[in-house]
Structure formats: C-alpha cells, structure tokens
Amino acid sequence: MTVLSQATLRDLSCRTPGYDRSRLGGGIVHFGVGNFHRAHQCVYLDDLFEAGGDLSFGITGVSVRAEDAPAFADMQAQDALFTVTEVDEGHRQTRVIGSIHRLVEPGDRPGILRALADPQTRIVSLTITEGGYYLSGDHPNLDHPDLQADAANLAEARTVFGLILAAIADRHASGAPPFTVLCCDNLPHNGDLTRRLVHGLAERVDAGLAAHVAEAIRFPNSMVDRITPATTMAQIESLAKDGIEDRRPVFCEPFMQWVIEDAFSAGRPALERVGVTFVEDVTPYELMKLRILNAGHATIAYPAALIGLTYAHEAMRDDLVSRFFRDVEEGFLLPASPEIRGVSREDYLASITHRFANPAIGDTIRRLCLDGSNRQPKFVLPAVRELLGRGKDVSGLALVSALWCRYCAGTLEDGTPVEPNDPNWDLLNRTALEARENPARFLELRDVFGDLGSDPVYAPLFSGFVRSLWEHGVAPTIEAYLRVRQNAR
C-alpha cells in the first residue's frame, strides 16, 4: 500500500497532479478546509492548474477552530495532498488533488494574519458552515460577544471576520492591494451576508476603515453545489484495498456546480475554463437551487424519516415518497423557480432526481432533516410566499412543513424516538407536541413562519395536514393528498 505524499505520486495508478506543485503560490487563503471545500473549490482549481492555469492561485488553508488540528496535521503529513473519489451507481473514480499550496496550523493567529496580509493573497474564501456567521434569523448578530471582543481589540481578533478585517486594515495601512472575500457556503446571497458582517464590524472599529471596506473590498455572491457526505471508515478501507493510504480522503458525487458574480478586487483565476459560470447576478441560479434542490431535500426528508428509511436513495426508491417528491417538485417548486436563459428547469430537476437516488453516496435522511427551523424559512416557505402572491395552490408545500412538524414531535411512526436534530430542538419538540391537539401552536413560531402563521390560505392547509398525520398516519395522508391533486388535474 502506498502512503500518499508528493514523493509517492509516481507510484499511484490513479490520476495525480501533472503540474509543478513547487511553483504554486498562495493567491487564495481559505478558511475551513473541510470535505466540501476539498471536493469542490480544490477540485476546480486542480482542474485549472492541469489546464495550464495561473499557479499563483494556490490555496493556503487556515482555520480558527482548534478541533481542526488533527485533520490539518494528517494533510500536512501528506504534503497537503488528498484523494477525491467520485461515486455513483456503477461508477467510481479516484484522483489526487494538489491545489493546496500550504496549511497554517489551526488557531495560529499570527500565521493566519501573515497569510492574509501577504500581498500575493488576492482572494480570501470561506466554507465555515452556517454556524460561523453569527446569524440571528437572516441577519448577522454583531452584538455577539465574540464579535464585540474583536471590535474592542482588533489587534487581538480571533473570529474569522475579525481576522479578515484586521488584515484589511493592515493591507490598507501598508499600501497592499485589497483582496476579494469570496463566501462559498450554502447561504442565500452569501456575499452580501459576508459584506454585512465585515462592514458592520468595521463600523464598530473605525469609520475610516468602514469606508475603505465599502469602497475597496468586493464580496461577490456565489452558488455552490456538490453532495459531499462525511467520509466513513469503510470508504477509507476501500481506498486501502486499492493500494492508497490517505488519512483524509473525500468521497462525493460526480456532479458539481459553481456560479460566481464576476466582481473581484484584484483579479481572479480563469475558472470559466473548467466549468465555473461567471455572471452579473447569481440570484436566479441561487433561487433555482434553493427551490428545486434544497426544498426538494426537505420534501423527501420528513416522510422518509417518519416511515423509517435511512438513506436518501431509499427514499427515492420508495413508491410513496418518490411520487410525493415528483408532485411537489413539478407542481410547486418548479413553478416557484426563476427561468434562466439557456438553463432548463426540467433538466435541472432530472439531474437532481438522479443525484438524490445515487446509492453510492449514502446521504442520510437524518442529515436532510437537520436544522429544519433554519432550512424551512430559507428553502420551503419563500416558495409558499411566491406562489401565494400569484394566487396559486400551496397545498403540497403546506404538507412538507406539516411533515416537519410531525417529525419534531420526537417519534417516528413506529414509536422510535427521534434524537434531537435541530439547534432549537427543545422548543420545536414542545411546540410540535402541543400542535397535535392545536396545530396553530406550531404556526406561532414567528421566526420560522412569520406572517404565514395567520395566512387565510396557508394556515388552514397546514393545520389540516397536521391533524391528518396524527389521526391517519403518514402514508394515508400523502395518498389522500395525491388523490386530490390527481382529481384536480
């Protein structure tokens, strides 16, 4: 078995970097070198370097989380190399990715600041997951103690955004060119959100610094997509059987997508050469994904969980869940999605359907059920508002949220307890149990439903479905709903 390193690349039978990694620069500093980043941005850049692209845009990986130290140490021992294995039914392809230039030890504040302040750094990118943005609802909470501490003493900043702002201030003072801050997390208008955080923090530090952020720093919105579950021990062992010892491999689906607004402060890699789409406004692409993919995940997640299924591909092969998915997608989510010139919503749905059904990924239903109190108001309920505004039916989407309510009651249909699966689980669980007798109680969760809780069309539909789920069960409720839909056609 070959231990992965720069020296052993020639001994591997899979695809390995053909470019000269010793010539990589650190043009990109990236916070959060997790599985998704390594399966997505790292792969695109590896492809670009293979195609003769500018090697100065290598990645310097950083993290403020001490718990990332073991992963960074493992990759460091492999010369920042790792494998990415694409898996689909009947398909498996492994390659070695070499686009990471170097890694800074997690929590090494001076090292991170040196990387950010380096004049060759032109892009600072982020995949820190939603929890790293200090959100209160849809807005960053600048009163969070961590951010307040950074604002009070920027020279000792500890958060991602405090460190970015400290580097912006240092570069401005030294005359170094401004960098672009590129958020790659799965958040609506992620660049705008990141800008509000950095600019809001700057306003609390110094008005002149805030003006510089507003004038010189670019925060393009982007849309990213690739299903990349956590790596399992079985997958690591499967690589070993192929003769490769990789301590931090990544397994993912073949599909990947990246759409970025073309607004950069100091240049960018020519990623359009390897399939990245650069646009003036990412909003329609973002909305299409939020509706068809993310709300589609919610559509299969809760009925599948309640009837005891474990994986997404099992849900797509279950007759009841797959028929419900098809009805909600075609009847509600596609009509609520924007039309994009040159892009077929129907083809996108076909791609999503295939991806959800990929058994090789092993995407769990529990993961899809996670954090519904945040996902419902971002993915499902905006489509409800869109359709209500046009005077259209929203019954399928009301049933999706009613199924979520039933899940939050804390037991599956066979009585199996549901382990807490949301940051607000205690409140959700308590309220969902009250909703068994009075469904309107769940609609009083204003942070989730807002004005929909009292909407004269939506509220009765939701309440009726919640009652039916408790009185008749999941399958009879969905079957009755589908019959009504069929008769209405």
Side-chain angles (χ1 to χ4, degrees):
M1 185 165 57
T2 302
V3 178
L4 186 58
S5 71
Q6 185 65 35
T8 61
L9 287 181
R10 63 182 178 276
D11 300 326
L12 300 176
S13 58
C14 65
R15 173 179 165 182
T16 61
Y19 50 91
D20 184 356
R21 294 185 71 235
S22 69
R23 295 177 54 220
L24 283 177
I28 299 173
V29 173
H30 184 82
F31 283 91
V33 190
N35 277 15
F36 178 77
H37 169 66
R38 293 188 293 132
H40 191 268
Q41 295 97 44
C42 286
V43 171
Y44 274 114
L45 284 160
D46 191 75
D47 284 343
L48 181 61
F49 299 153
E50 287 287 347
D54 186 350
L55 293 175
S56 71
F57 282 103
I59 299 166
T60 298
V62 302
S63 174
V64 298
R65 293 163 23 105
E67 55 264 46
D68 288 337
F72 272 55
D74 284 345
M75 286 191 289
Q76 196 76 272
Q78 298 177 172
D79 299 323
L81 294 164
F82 58 92
T83 57
V84 169
T85 301
E86 296 179 356
V87 289
D88 202 344
E89 196 163 20
H91 168 83
R92 175 184 168 118
Q93 183 172 328
T94 298
R95 61 187 281 194
V96 177
I97 302 299
S99 49
I100 296 181
H101 162 59
R102 68 186 182 95
L103 296 158
V104 177
E105 185 177 348
D108 178 2
R109 184 184 166 280
I112 294 171
L113 276 175
R114 281 194 298 272
L116 292 170
D118 190 326
Q120 77 168 319
T121 298
R122 286 170 278 174
I123 296 171
V124 177
S125 54
L126 302 87
T127 50
I128 57 175
T129 72
E130 187 165 318
Y133 289 85
Y134 299 97
L135 293 178
S136 177
D138 291 334
H139 302 286
N141 176 19
L142 291 164
D143 292 324
H144 190 282
D146 292 351
L147 296 176
Q148 284 186 323
D150 279 4
N153 186 5
L154 192 61
E156 295 297 326
R158 296 288 174 181
T159 71
V160 169
F161 303 102
L163 288 165
I164 289 174
L165 184 60
I168 290 171
D170 288 349
R171 292 170 73 103
H172 185 42
S174 68
F179 50 53
T180 296
V181 182
L182 177 61
C183 178
C184 301
D185 276 304
N186 185 28
L187 294 164
H189 300 292
N190 54 16
D192 294 340
L193 170 63
T194 307
R195 175 184 50 77
R196 290 200 302 273
L197 254 170
V198 176
H199 185 260
L201 191 59
E203 287 182 313
R204 298 190 173 198
V205 174
D206 177 77
L209 179 58
H212 174 66
V213 170
E215 294 168 6
I217 309 299
R218 300 289 174 265
F219 298 86
N221 292 304
S222 72
M223 190 272 277
V224 298
D225 193 8
R226 191 171 217 186
I227 297 174
T228 312
T231 304
T232 67
M233 184 53 66
Q235 288 172 328
I236 294 174
E237 291 170 354
S238 73
L239 266 185
K241 290 178 182 176
D242 292 339
I244 303 172
E245 182 180 322
D246 180 1
R247 299 179 189 178
R248 295 290 167 171
V250 182
F251 285 72
C252 59
E253 64 173 339
F255 178 92
M256 63 177 180
Q257 185 179 25
W258 198 2
V259 183
I260 311 173
E261 291 176 350
D262 201 356
F264 287 76
S265 304
R268 61 168 177 79
L271 288 162
E272 65 271 22
R273 293 176 56 186
V274 290
V276 176
T277 303
F278 286 93
V279 296
E280 185 175 325
D281 180 10
V282 79
T283 302
Y285 292 88
E286 184 177 81
L287 281 175
M288 185 171 72
K289 182 197 171 194
L290 292 173
R291 303 282 162 84
I292 299 174
L293 185 145
N294 296 114
H297 265 153
T299 301
I300 67 171
Y302 300 108
L306 289 166
I307 64 176
L309 301 181
T310 302
Y311 295 103
H313 68 270
E314 293 175 337
M316 297 301 289
R317 293 177 180 181
D318 180 88
D319 178 67
L320 178 71
V321 178
S322 64
R323 283 188 291 123
F324 181 54
F325 169 78
R326 214 163 38 243
D327 177 84
V328 171
E329 286 280 11
E330 294 174 358
F332 303 93
L333 297 175
L334 256 68
S337 300
E339 294 187 32
I340 304 172
R341 186 174 182 179
V343 177
S344 165
R345 292 179 297 185
E346 290 73 21
D347 287 349
Y348 185 67
L349 173 58
S351 169
I352 295 300
T353 302
H354 174 80
R355 294 167 64 196
F356 286 6
N358 181 354
I361 285 293
D363 204 6
T364 67
I365 292 298
R366 179 171 172 81
R367 185 188 79 83
L368 302 187
C369 290
L370 173 69
D371 201 13
S373 64
N374 178 65
R375 294 179 176 184
Q376 288 278 321
K378 282 187 172 63
F379 304 151
V380 177
L381 299 177
V384 172
R385 290 187 174 87
E386 172 83 18
L387 295 173
L388 284 174
R390 297 191 220 155
K392 302 292 187 180
D393 178 25
V394 293
S395 57
L397 299 178
L399 179 49
V400 169
S401 294
L403 286 157
W404 171 55
C405 173
R406 172 62 184 83
Y407 174 84
C408 291
T411 54
L412 307 184
E413 285 219 304
D414 65 1
T416 301
V418 176
E419 293 298 318
N421 201 19
D422 192 290
N424 300 307
W425 184 258
D426 290 344
L427 172 63
L428 293 172
N429 179 240
R430 183 171 64 251
T431 311
L433 289 171
E434 293 171 1
R436 180 172 185 170
E437 300 300 327
N438 179 13
R441 283 286 295 117
F442 207 72
L443 292 171
E444 292 170 6
L445 295 169
R446 297 284 297 178
D447 287 347
V448 175
F449 292 98
D451 57 353
L452 287 176
S454 56
D455 184 87
V457 174
Y458 179 81
L461 285 169
F462 174 89
S463 296
F465 285 132
V466 170
R467 290 190 182 95
S468 178
L469 288 167
W470 282 111
E471 292 173 13
H472 305 296
V474 172
T477 298
I478 294 178
E479 290 286 10
Y481 158 80
L482 291 172
R483 283 195 300 272
V484 171
R485 290 277 294 155
Q486 181 63 39
N487 292 336
R489 290 191 181 100

